[in-house]
């Protein structure tokens, strides 16, 4: 009975942890409790996906992100406070430590109040830059909502994001228009490969300070597609940090608002679906890759009647030692976490998962091809001939793409020389035929010489034993 109870508790915990692959403990830092109702639909969506939300003020004395060295929350949503700081429990160093221990953060900015210096310092640590005046807004005189911002043009109307590159999956696509009121511009540094923009402004947008009464903006912080409205950072440990540039875009009134751009038709916003996609990605509900079985074995390559190579397993799985010039097959099983279940990993046609067979540097770098599928995984495979070099080698799959967790798999093996009884016989090597012929010519020539010498012996007189002249 005890093991049945343990099994039941484990199953219950699996159900409670719900959708996120890293836990469901969510901390929402909001300064004024009365403002929670403005975002009630957003909270309901999160609770419906299995999250246990804990609302706390940054001024709460008992607030702590760690207890006994362990995280007390799995995810954090930081709403911008109107005060100058986030309190002693949410300093930039503590938030960075939270990320280092695999915590995920969704930071929301607002153009209604200046961004606290602590948030600016935190973003600078990640190479994300905000306007120096900390009060600038993004405006677009061609793509705005004429009903809510007829004069200020600070309610941006944007299509759903497209793929960052042709070889990157898009987790934020969809139909409809996103309304972004009073957005804060962000500029991403070029030095970090961990940063990626999710939603950019259009080419006609720019950032300006509404307190500046000048008719023209001479030196804007950023313009056009330089402006990132929603930015992402995925650390080496696959922890995620997202900057959402408009707190107002998460309010209930914008989840089902009707909007109309200049010269366009009236339509509803897609803010609710977009907010769900952003929170799902940040909290590791999407874009999470899982490695299943990793196998390698000797292969025997045969030829079928249709002239296609057929690969057979010629040895046991995952041997520790191979021989040079062996035919080897490598298989890796990969799945992708999608909300509440695993699905087979599908990569764009312009992308490839590569296998490296490496010692100090790769001897082979091969594209892994989808060989088969299961209900929740894809098996990628490649067959190749080992190099004519002995030593300690490694099969390595190092797959890193924006918006997907990192895959770094390494399996070490030894590659040995031919054994003495494994070398091919000399008559099977065409390059040795010259030497074999030389040996036999020498033997035949020696026998012929000896026979000729014996046949040409001089004649003797039988009586006197003298040679005949």
């Amino acid at each position: 009975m005890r093991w049945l109870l343990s099994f039941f508790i484990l199953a219950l915990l699996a159900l409670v942890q719900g959708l996120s692959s890293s836990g469901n403990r969510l901390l929402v830092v909001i300064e004024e409790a009365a403002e929670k109702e403005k975002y009630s639909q957003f909270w309901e969506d999160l609770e419906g996906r299995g999250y246990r939300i804990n609302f706390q003020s940054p001024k709460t004395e008992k607030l702590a992100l760690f207890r006994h060295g362990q995280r007390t929350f799995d995810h954090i949503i930081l709403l911008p406070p109107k005060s100058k700081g986030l309190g002693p429990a949410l300093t930039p160093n503590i938030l960075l430590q939270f990320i280092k221990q695999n915590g995920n953060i969704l930071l929301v900015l607002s153009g209604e109040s200046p961004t606290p210096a602590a948030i600016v310092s935190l973003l600078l640590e990640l190479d994300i830059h905000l306007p120096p005046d900390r009060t600038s807004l993004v405006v677009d005189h061609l793509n705005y909502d004429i009903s809510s911002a007829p004069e200020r043009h600070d309610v941006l109307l944007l299509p759903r994001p497209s793929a960052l590159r042709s070889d990157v999956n898009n987790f934020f696509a969809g139909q409809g228009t996103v309304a972004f009121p009073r957005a804060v511009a962000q500029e991403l540094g070029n030095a970090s490969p961990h940063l990626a923009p999710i939603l950019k402004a259009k080419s006609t947008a720019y950032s300006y300070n509404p307190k500046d009464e000048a008719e023209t903006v001479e030196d804007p912080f950023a313009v056009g597609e330089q402006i990132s409205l929603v930015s992402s950072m995925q650390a080496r440990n696959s922890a995620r940090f997202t900057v959402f540039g408009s707190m107002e875009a998460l309010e209930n009134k914008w989840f089902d608002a009707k909007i109309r751009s200049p010269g366009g038709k009236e339509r509803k916003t897609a803010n609710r679906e977009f907010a769900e996609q952003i929170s799902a990605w940040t909290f590791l509900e999407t874009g999470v890759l899982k490695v299943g079985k990793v196998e390698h074995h000797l292969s025997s390559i045969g030829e079928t009647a249709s002239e296609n190579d057929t690969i057979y397993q010629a040895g046991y799985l995952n041997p520790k030692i191979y021989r040079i010039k062996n035919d080897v097959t490598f298989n890796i099983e990969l799945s992708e976490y999608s909300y509440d279940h695993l699905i087979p990993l599908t990569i764009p046609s312009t992308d490839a998962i590569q296998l490296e067979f490496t010692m100090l540097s790769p001897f082979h770098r091969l594209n892994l091809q989808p060989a088969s599928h299961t209900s929740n995984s894809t098996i990628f495979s490649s067959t190749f001939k080992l190099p004519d070099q002995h030593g300690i080698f490694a099969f390595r799959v190092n797959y890193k793409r924006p918006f997907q967790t990192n895959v770094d798999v390494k399996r070490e093996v030894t590659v040995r020389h031919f054994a003495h009884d494994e070398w091919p016989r000399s008559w099977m090597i065409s390059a040795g035929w010259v030497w074999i012929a030389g040996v036999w010519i020498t033997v035949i020539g020696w026998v012929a010489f000896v026979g000729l010498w014996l046949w040409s012996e001089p004649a003797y007189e039988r009586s006197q034993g003298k040679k005949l002249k």
Side-chain angles (χ1 to χ4, degrees):
M1 288 298 294
R2 184 172 299 176
W3 68 271
L4 284 175
L5 180 60
S6 301
F7 178 79
F8 176 75
I9 292 175
L10 289 174
L12 183 62
L13 286 175
L15 290 175
V16 169
Q17 291 215 340
L19 304 178
S20 176
S21 60
S22 62
N24 64 345
R25 299 173 300 173
L26 174 60
L27 170 66
V28 176
V29 180
I30 183 169
E31 190 171 32
E32 298 181 8
E35 293 188 353
K36 288 194 301 183
E37 294 302 321
K38 291 183 179 180
Y39 315 97
S40 59
Q41 294 184 22
F42 185 49
W43 311 138
E44 289 174 2
D45 291 343
L46 290 171
E47 289 175 343
R49 297 191 342 242
Y51 290 100
R52 293 182 298 163
I53 303 178
N54 188 345
F55 295 94
Q56 294 288 344
S57 170
K59 300 177 182 178
T60 303
E61 296 182 359
K62 295 183 179 179
L63 178 61
L65 301 186
F66 300 95
R67 183 172 291 112
H68 306 301
Q70 301 296 320
R71 290 185 287 109
T72 54
F73 300 97
D74 302 308
H75 320 284
I76 299 176
I77 296 179
L78 283 175
L79 298 182
K82 296 181 180 179
S83 57
K84 295 184 179 180
L86 293 173
L90 298 171
T91 63
N93 287 336
I94 293 177
L95 292 174
L96 289 175
Q97 187 63 31
F98 184 80
I99 296 174
K100 291 178 181 178
Q101 294 200 16
N102 301 313
N104 308 297
I105 299 176
L106 174 58
L107 173 63
V108 185
L109 303 177
S110 174
E112 292 292 330
S113 59
T115 305
I119 291 180
V120 175
S121 300
L122 172 64
L123 295 179
L124 285 176
E125 291 286 341
L126 304 176
D127 206 11
I128 301 175
H129 305 270
L130 299 182
D133 51 32
R134 296 188 292 173
T135 58
S136 292
L137 299 176
V138 180
V139 298
D140 191 334
H141 300 304
L142 298 181
N143 303 282
Y144 65 94
D145 181 29
I146 62 176
S147 58
S148 60
E151 297 181 357
R152 300 181 64 179
H153 303 173
D154 57 358
V155 179
L156 309 182
L157 300 183
L158 302 166
R160 301 284 282 277
S162 57
L164 182 64
R165 301 194 309 253
S166 60
D167 60 338
V168 174
N169 285 324
N170 187 5
F171 298 97
F172 315 100
Q175 301 296 324
T177 302
V178 179
F180 244 65
R182 290 166 286 281
V184 178
Q186 307 140 44
E187 192 174 36
L188 307 184
N190 296 323
S192 175
H194 305 287
L195 296 175
I198 295 177
L199 181 65
K200 295 181 179 180
K202 288 196 171 183
S203 58
T204 52
Y206 64 93
S207 175
Y208 92 109
N209 189 345
K211 296 181 180 180
D212 189 356
E213 298 180 356
E215 294 183 358
T216 59
V217 179
E218 296 182 357
D219 189 16
F221 168 71
V223 297
E225 294 188 355
Q226 295 177 345
I227 300 174
S228 177
L229 301 174
V230 182
S231 308
S232 68
M233 190 281 299
Q234 183 169 262
R236 290 187 179 91
N237 61 356
S238 296
R240 292 173 175 176
F241 181 91
T242 303
V243 184
F244 197 85
S246 173
M247 182 174 70
E248 290 79 3
L250 300 177
E251 293 180 359
N252 296 340
K253 66 178 183 179
W254 289 107
F255 270 21
D256 53 2
K258 292 183 179 180
I259 54 175
R260 187 160 67 91
S261 58
K265 297 181 179 180
E266 188 177 74
R267 57 196 184 275
K268 286 189 175 182
T269 64
N271 284 34
R272 188 166 191 167
E273 294 81 3
F274 184 61
E276 179 182 352
Q277 290 175 330
I278 293 294
S279 61
W281 181 84
T282 305
F283 301 151
L284 295 177
E285 296 180 44
T286 58
V288 179
L289 304 186
K290 180 182 178 183
V291 179
K293 295 180 180 178
V294 179
E295 299 175 345
H296 52 88
H297 57 79
L298 283 172
S299 297
S300 175
I301 302 178
E303 190 172 314
T304 61
S306 60
E307 298 184 355
N308 293 324
D309 291 340
T310 303
I311 300 173
Y312 304 96
Q313 181 177 336
Y316 56 88
L317 289 175
N318 303 330
K320 296 296 184 182
I321 188 168
Y322 288 103
R323 193 205 68 203
I324 60 173
K325 297 185 178 181
N326 273 150
D327 291 315
V328 173
T329 296
F330 179 87
N331 300 319
I332 184 170
E333 182 182 19
L334 294 173
S335 305
E336 184 175 6
Y337 198 78
S338 178
Y339 290 97
D340 59 349
H341 63 286
L342 291 171
I343 61 174
L345 174 62
T346 303
I347 61 175
S349 58
T350 54
D351 192 18
I353 299 176
Q354 292 189 322
L355 166 68
E356 293 181 350
F357 191 69
T358 178
M359 189 159 52
L360 295 178
S361 60
F363 279 68
H364 288 293
R365 184 178 285 121
L366 307 166
N367 290 343
L368 291 168
Q369 303 296 332
S372 60
H373 299 270
T374 66
S375 59
N376 56 12
S377 66
T378 303
I379 299 175
F380 294 85
S381 179
S382 181
T383 299
F384 62 98
K385 188 180 292 293
L386 296 183
D388 189 5
Q389 173 69 43
H390 72 285
I392 306 298
F393 286 81
F395 297 97
R396 188 179 184 188
V397 176
N398 188 13
Y399 183 74
K400 296 178 180 178
R401 296 294 183 273
F403 309 124
Q404 291 181 313
T405 56
N406 302 327
V407 173
D408 193 356
V409 176
K410 189 175 181 180
R411 298 290 187 271
E412 289 189 351
V413 293
T414 301
V415 178
R416 62 174 176 82
H417 279 301
F418 278 100
H420 292 293
D421 58 351
E422 290 178 327
W423 291 98
R425 306 307 298 174
S426 57
W427 57 80
M428 297 178 63
I429 303 174
S430 58
W433 292 350
V434 175
W435 308 102
I436 296 173
V439 169
W440 284 107
I441 289 172
T442 303
V443 172
I444 294 172
W446 170 252
V447 172
F449 168 76
V450 171
L452 181 62
W453 184 79
L454 293 176
W455 178 77
S456 59
E457 181 183 5
Y460 290 89
E461 291 183 5
R462 293 183 180 178
S463 58
Q464 299 179 358
K466 295 181 179 180
K467 294 182 179 179
L468 297 176
K469 292 184 180 180

